[in-house]
Amino acid sequence: MEELLERLLEECRPFTSMGKVADYIPELAKSDPDALGVYVIGSEGKHSWAGDCRKSFTLQSVVKPILLLQALLDNGPEVVQSQVGVEATGKPFDAINAGDRTLDSRHINPMVNMGAIVMCTLIRGGNYAERFQRLLELTGRLAGDPEIGVDEAVYRSEKSHGSKNRALAYLLKSYGLLEDDVEAVLDCYFRACSIRVDCRGLAHIGAVLSNRGRLPDSNERIFPASLARYVNAILMTCGMYNGSGEFAIRVGIPAKSGVAGGIMAVVPTRMGIGIYGPALDHKGNSLAGIQLLERLSRELYLSIF
Ligand code: GLU
């Protein structure tokens, strides 16, 4: 496996120069565009990696499946689905999914910003600091990293350049889809996006989802298998922004990308994969990262289709 990962990494490194690092959040523009790393945790517990997999970066949208999972754990699927739909929007992550008609919660999903912002309101807790703390603890368990924390510089940058997310949240509020104080909810969302991980952490999250809710090392169950099915299904249809259909054809596994360049991928029953490659394509996905996953999927017959 190590040899395969090394070879694919070298094959895909040239693609990093074809992408562009996200700069709509100034702090993200500081990432190294040439970085590329991959980490795999197999169902038998073996870890394999290549490239820049020790570099840390922020989860960004990769936190969305974790927000969804926390909301599911706290409320159950029926309540969650009554608040936010499950259909792909076919639009960018921060699109305003409203036309001249009333915004319908069935027209958003937990993998776009509007849906993820609503997920924050579904986390249980006395206040938003408590809710975020619970989310951070779940993220630490999923990533196998008890030291997990927030990148304060990215968080501040995110918060001070968050006009679009503010617009989305106020729109939700105006349509009665969000009751709480908008700034408190957004603060939780911005912090969630700014949680720091590395490729190993992403692979660990993927391994738990591939293992249907059990930790890869101890086999301890941390959430029910039915919730893994819910999250993996939404990752498959909506996880790679408005490039999810093409990704399903080219790679064929549930995955979630983020604008910092991370991709967390799940190969049900077989492995979790973590990728880092901050140079993005025009839809916001790691350009070299997708190339690497496509090749890995071909070599190891990972596609579920
Ligand atoms: N913090 C980002 C935002 O909401 C997350 C974007 C992403 O990774 O897609 O703008």
Side-chain angles (χ1 to χ4, degrees):
M1 181 66 111
E2 281 81 9
E3 259 171 52
L4 173 65
L5 294 182
E6 288 290 351
R7 174 165 64 79
L8 297 184
L9 196 111
E10 285 325 306
E11 265 175 50
C12 295
R13 222 187 252 286
F15 287 98
T16 57
S17 63
M18 292 164 63
K20 218 177 143 291
V21 163
D23 57 6
Y24 78 106
I25 300 167
E27 201 61 27
L28 293 181
K30 296 180 181 167
S31 322
D32 170 12
D34 303 325
L36 187 62
V38 57
Y39 201 105
V40 174
I41 302 180
S43 55
E44 72 302 330
K46 188 172 182 299
H47 290 221
S48 319
W49 61 88
D52 304 306
C53 55
R54 289 288 170 201
K55 281 201 174 166
S56 67
F57 52 93
T58 51
L59 276 173
Q60 296 299 329
S61 273
V62 184
V63 80
K64 287 175 172 140
I66 306 174
L67 280 167
L68 169 61
L69 185 59
Q70 185 72 69
L72 287 167
L73 282 166
D74 287 353
N75 306 273
E78 271 169 36
V79 172
V80 172
Q81 210 172 324
S82 71
Q83 304 281 310
V84 170
V86 293
E87 303 301 337
T89 63
K91 296 195 184 116
F93 65 94
D94 59 351
I96 294 176
N97 290 290
D100 45 3
R101 274 175 287 155
T102 309
L103 177 64
D104 186 330
S105 66
R106 287 170 302 184
H107 297 164
I108 56 176
N109 68 63
M111 298 301 125
V112 295
N113 286 17
M114 275 188 164
I117 291 167
V118 175
M119 289 302 124
C120 294
T121 71
L122 294 176
I123 302 174
R124 270 205 243 117
N127 52 45
Y128 271 90
E130 229 175 272
R131 293 179 198 220
F132 177 72
Q133 198 47 42
R134 292 188 61 240
L135 178 77
L136 187 64
E137 274 159 29
L138 176 64
T139 309
R141 290 201 84 192
L142 288 169
D145 177 5
E147 308 282 291
I148 202 155
V150 167
D151 182 320
E152 293 293 331
V154 172
Y155 160 68
R156 281 194 300 272
S157 193
E158 189 109 30
K159 196 171 165 110
S160 57
H161 290 79
S163 304
K164 185 71 180 283
N165 283 317
R166 282 193 179 81
L168 296 175
Y170 278 106
L171 202 64
L172 286 166
K173 186 148 186 125
S174 76
Y175 283 114
L177 300 177
L178 186 155
E179 283 178 9
D180 296 352
D181 175 66
V182 166
E183 282 305 325
V185 178
L186 282 174
D187 191 69
C188 177
Y189 174 73
F190 292 140
R191 278 183 201 279
C193 290
S194 309
I195 297 172
R196 207 167 240 297
V197 285
D198 59 13
C199 288
R200 185 191 165 282
L202 292 188
H204 202 278
I205 299 168
V208 184
L209 283 165
S210 89
N211 209 11
R212 302 199 171 103
R214 291 180 187 274
L215 293 174
D217 310 322
S218 61
N219 224 27
E220 182 197 345
R221 178 169 292 291
I222 60 168
F223 57 87
S226 59
L227 300 190
R229 222 172 60 208
Y230 193 117
V231 173
N232 289 341
I234 295 195
L235 290 180
M236 191 71 246
T237 52
C238 312
M240 300 297 284
Y241 301 121
N242 44 332
S244 299
E246 201 192 323
F247 184 83
I249 295 168
R250 285 172 62 188
V251 186
I253 54 176
K256 184 74 202 87
S257 54
V259 292
I263 305 177
M264 180 277 293
V266 183
V267 188
T269 73
R270 289 179 65 186
M271 65 184 78
I273 307 170
I275 300 260
Y276 177 54
L280 309 178
D281 64 18
H282 67 286
K283 291 189 172 170
N285 293 314
S286 172
L287 199 148
I290 290 191
Q291 289 287 339
L292 211 158
L293 276 175
E294 186 176 10
R295 284 167 168 74
L296 194 62
S297 175
R298 237 183 354 240
E299 295 269 351
L300 300 177
Y301 301 95
L302 300 182
S303 174
I304 63 172
F305 298 106

